[in-house]
Amino acid sequence: MPKVKHENLKLKKIVREFGENVLMTDGNIIFCKLCEVKINSDKKYNVQQHIGRVKHKEALKKLEAEKHNAVQPFIQQFCKSDFNADLCSEFVAANIPLNKLNNEHFRSFLSKYCNKTIPNESTLRKGYFNSCYTNAITKIRDAVNVQKIWVCIDETIDSVRRNVANVIIGILKPQDVGKTYLIHTEYLDKVNHSTIFQLFNKSMHILWPNNVNHEDILLFVSDAALYMKKAGRCIQTLYPKSLHVTCLAHALHNVCEEVRAHFPKVDRLITEMKKTFLKCPKRIAILNEKCPDIPNPPKRITTRWGTWITAVEYYCTYLNEIKSAVEEFNENAQCVNVVKELIKDQSLHSNFVYITINFGFFPHAITQLEKRGETLAKSIGIVLEAKQKLEEANGEVAKLILETCNRVFSKNNGWAELQKVNSIHNGTALNVNVEQYDSNDLVYMKYAPITSVDVERSFSMYKNILAPNRMCFNESNLTKYMVMNSFFNI
């Protein structure tokens, strides 16, 4: 034991010598934050050698440049007004642009009924916006404190072609559902395992600025992209209890996409139907007049989970009615001609029925998984039930889809571990061991999520905030705005 203690002190001394902003240690290894690599700490010379490498020097220069270019905090020369601070927070919470305060009618309305002096937009932006962000972060830190948490990260491309990543954290509680927060939004120059790892680590330092609680992060949820899986392995070197699970709802959606690939004619009909009715009130009016009792055709969205199967179910139910309406179209549009030709194919009727009977359960399963606050046992039960129904499906295509499903789930290493946790919770396994967790950790996994729907919802919020008339947002302010807005609305 004394030898281990001596080694810990040795590593901490090396970290202090070369800079805690560059190196970090958990007592067992030394890790370079800039290069995202472990350093052989047997000898001090190895650390010196790493510090002298070109890659490390370039990363250090980049860090210093970022510090130099950082925007200096606005120095307030007057006493803060609680009304102004609350007004700023409420505008952000309701996603109302601060420049609405420049409207004279609105200002007079607020002044009349609030009996307060209404500040200008620039006053709130320069004097209160940053403090409101700091207040939101402080409340998140106080809420989390030393509790166990899960983390979810995903990235997308916004309307101005930037790679934007959101980091969601959630509190794990043994008896009820914990609160969820967006802790950080980051704009990435590149999207790879290295930048995702840096983002994860940066977010944890935002949450715990003084001392990161490495062992309080029990779960990391992401999509199944290869760089996310690699990032998950890197994260586990510093956060040993963070079990990496890829989104199970996304996995079921991938299986649905495999179904779509096996029925190209059905897929083409759905695509051409969308073109036929999209932004064409005349054709929709003909459909409503001809078939007033049926809903309008669904607009399948490739990135929206399970919508292709939902569209198949619609056409399986209303194909004859849709066919009679399409025959009324006298236009010479290409999409209309293609639909008229495709809809004559009798095999489509059989395909619609086959898909609906054998794979129609997928949209409902995905919708169930998207619900918040479900227990781990219920979520896993939904997935297992979907797999069981797939095993009972008939036909050669169903066998191929089942193989794909098994392959998708076999690549999700965290799925097997979560099943072990669930078996312990259910009392069905007595000799099961989960490598990452001790008995105390297992208690906190009762409401552990298995999907990344929370971070997907945060992108919808981001899209609403970054409207076409609000493109003047700079990245720093938009990051703070996202954190504050989600704090009040998630």
Side-chain angles (χ1 to χ4, degrees):
M1 292 300 291
K3 185 177 180 181
V4 173
K5 185 176 180 181
H6 176 73
E7 288 295 325
N8 291 347
L9 293 174
K10 176 185 173 183
L11 296 181
K12 290 179 181 178
K13 183 178 179 181
I14 293 174
V15 169
R16 285 195 297 270
E17 180 178 346
F18 291 98
E20 293 180 344
N21 62 326
V22 175
L23 303 178
M24 64 187 303
T25 180
D26 62 351
N28 298 315
I29 63 169
I30 291 180
F31 190 86
C32 178
K33 298 179 185 179
L34 302 182
C35 305
E36 296 92 37
V37 295
K38 291 188 291 185
I39 304 174
N40 188 347
S41 56
D42 293 341
K43 295 181 180 180
K44 183 178 176 181
Y45 170 77
N46 294 326
V47 181
Q48 292 173 329
Q49 190 178 43
H50 175 82
I51 297 295
R53 288 177 179 168
V54 175
K55 179 183 177 181
H56 182 88
K57 289 181 178 179
E58 290 178 352
L60 190 60
K61 286 181 181 179
K62 184 178 179 181
L63 178 65
E64 291 173 352
E66 289 176 354
K67 288 182 179 179
H68 179 73
N69 295 329
V71 179
Q72 296 297 318
F74 182 81
I75 302 174
Q76 194 68 24
Q77 300 295 337
F78 52 87
C79 295
K80 295 279 186 178
S81 164
D82 291 339
F83 173 76
N84 290 357
D86 291 342
L87 185 65
C88 182
S89 295
E90 295 307 316
F91 265 60
V92 174
N95 193 24
I96 301 173
L98 296 180
N99 61 17
K100 296 297 181 184
L101 287 173
N102 296 335
N103 184 290
E104 290 300 325
H105 297 285
F106 186 46
R107 289 177 63 84
S108 61
F109 171 83
L110 290 176
S111 180
K112 178 180 178 180
Y113 290 100
C114 296
N115 293 321
K116 297 283 187 179
T117 301
I118 307 304
N120 292 322
E121 171 267 340
S122 60
T123 302
L124 295 187
R125 178 168 48 83
K126 295 178 181 179
Y128 292 89
F129 183 78
N130 286 338
S131 61
C132 288
Y133 165 75
T134 303
N135 186 42
I137 287 292
T138 301
K139 288 181 178 178
I140 294 173
R141 289 170 180 164
D142 292 341
V144 174
N145 199 5
V146 293
Q147 299 191 74
K148 309 291 185 182
I149 66 168
W150 57 268
V151 182
C152 184
I153 297 178
D154 199 5
E155 59 82 26
T156 189
I157 299 176
D158 67 10
S159 56
V160 289
R161 310 303 297 172
R162 294 176 297 193
N163 295 311
V164 55
N166 285 347
V167 183
I168 298 286
I169 63 168
I171 299 173
L172 292 170
K173 294 183 177 181
Q175 299 301 330
D176 56 0
V177 183
K179 192 81 170 66
T180 301
Y181 304 97
L182 187 146
I183 189 68
H184 188 55
T185 295
E186 181 86 357
Y187 295 91
L188 306 175
D189 295 330
K190 297 179 181 179
V191 180
N192 52 43
H193 76 282
S194 175
T195 55
I196 295 298
F197 173 80
Q198 283 185 334
L199 173 60
F200 186 102
N201 202 39
K202 180 179 180 180
S203 301
M204 295 306 100
H205 280 82
I206 292 173
L207 180 61
W208 292 300
N210 298 323
N211 185 26
V212 175
N213 301 334
H214 293 81
E215 296 195 352
D216 285 343
I217 303 165
L218 301 185
L219 188 65
F220 171 48
V221 184
S222 72
D223 60 25
L226 291 177
Y227 66 87
M228 281 292 187
K229 291 183 177 181
K230 191 172 182 180
R233 292 192 292 271
C234 294
I235 288 167
Q236 285 180 332
T237 61
L238 281 183
Y239 304 87
K241 292 190 176 182
S242 60
L243 176 66
H244 183 207
V245 178
T246 57
C247 176
L248 273 301
H250 205 162
L252 293 184
H253 172 69
N254 289 340
V255 177
C256 293
E257 288 297 286
E258 188 68 18
V259 176
R260 182 167 71 96
H262 280 84
F263 297 93
K265 286 186 179 180
V266 173
D267 184 43
R268 191 180 181 198
L269 177 64
I270 292 173
T271 302
E272 296 299 330
M273 279 290 189
K274 181 179 177 180
K275 293 178 183 177
T276 300
F277 289 101
L278 184 65
K279 297 181 181 179
C280 188
K282 179 182 176 181
R283 296 171 193 159
I284 294 174
I286 293 173
L287 175 64
N288 292 336
E289 182 181 351
K290 188 78 175 176
C291 311
D293 297 328
I294 72 170
N296 290 333
K299 298 176 182 178
R300 179 190 66 85
I301 302 173
T302 304
T303 56
R304 191 162 293 172
W305 300 335
T307 53
W308 190 84
I309 301 287
T310 303
V312 169
E313 291 178 325
Y314 172 88
Y315 290 112
C316 181
T317 305
Y318 302 112
L319 187 61
N320 291 331
E321 290 86 344
I322 294 291
K323 183 178 180 180
S324 64
V326 169
E327 289 173 352
E328 298 289 327
F329 299 160
N330 297 320
E331 306 163 63
N332 194 27
Q334 182 180 358
C335 59
V336 174
N337 294 333
V338 172
V339 166
K340 286 182 177 180
E341 189 65 31
L342 285 171
I343 213 165
K344 295 176 183 178
D345 191 342
Q346 291 299 317
S347 65
L348 284 175
H349 297 258
S350 301
N351 288 338
F352 282 136
V353 173
Y354 178 80
I355 295 170
T356 301
I357 289 176
N358 292 285
F359 310 112
F361 58 87
F362 275 115
H364 178 70
I366 292 173
T367 302
Q368 291 294 104
L369 287 174
E370 289 175 340
K371 291 182 179 179
R372 285 176 174 166
E374 299 291 354
T375 62
L376 178 64
K378 185 172 182 179
S379 298
I380 289 180
I382 293 168
V383 176
L384 294 178
E385 183 182 358
K387 290 186 70 177
Q388 182 180 354
K389 288 181 179 179
L390 185 57
E391 290 171 356
E392 295 171 356
N394 300 312
E396 291 300 319
V397 173
K399 292 179 181 178
L400 295 174
I401 300 302
L402 179 60
E403 290 177 5
T404 300
C405 181
N406 291 332
R407 185 168 61 252
V408 168
F409 279 83
S410 66
K411 293 179 180 179
N412 190 350
N413 296 328
W415 166 244
E417 296 300 307
L418 282 182
Q419 286 183 289
K420 292 180 183 178
V421 174
N422 185 48
S423 65
I424 294 173
H425 286 181
N426 294 337
T428 56
L430 300 178
N431 297 318
V432 173
N433 179 43
V434 183
E435 185 177 346
Q436 273 98 336
Y437 304 142
D438 55 32
S439 57
N440 182 52
D441 298 326
L442 290 170
V443 172
Y444 288 90
M445 295 295 288
K446 182 177 180 180
Y447 289 94
I450 63 173
T451 67
S452 59
V453 293
D454 288 300
V455 76
E456 298 293 344
R457 291 188 179 106
S458 72
F459 289 131
S460 298
M461 296 170 59
Y462 179 90
K463 184 178 179 180
N464 290 334
I465 291 170
L466 192 63
N469 61 342
R470 301 178 76 181
M471 293 297 177
C472 59
F473 259 123
N474 65 47
E475 293 180 359
S476 175
N477 284 343
L478 187 51
T479 294
K480 295 174 182 177
Y481 195 101
M482 274 291 296
V483 172
M484 286 189 284
N485 181 268
S486 62
F487 176 77
F488 293 105
N489 294 299
I490 289 185

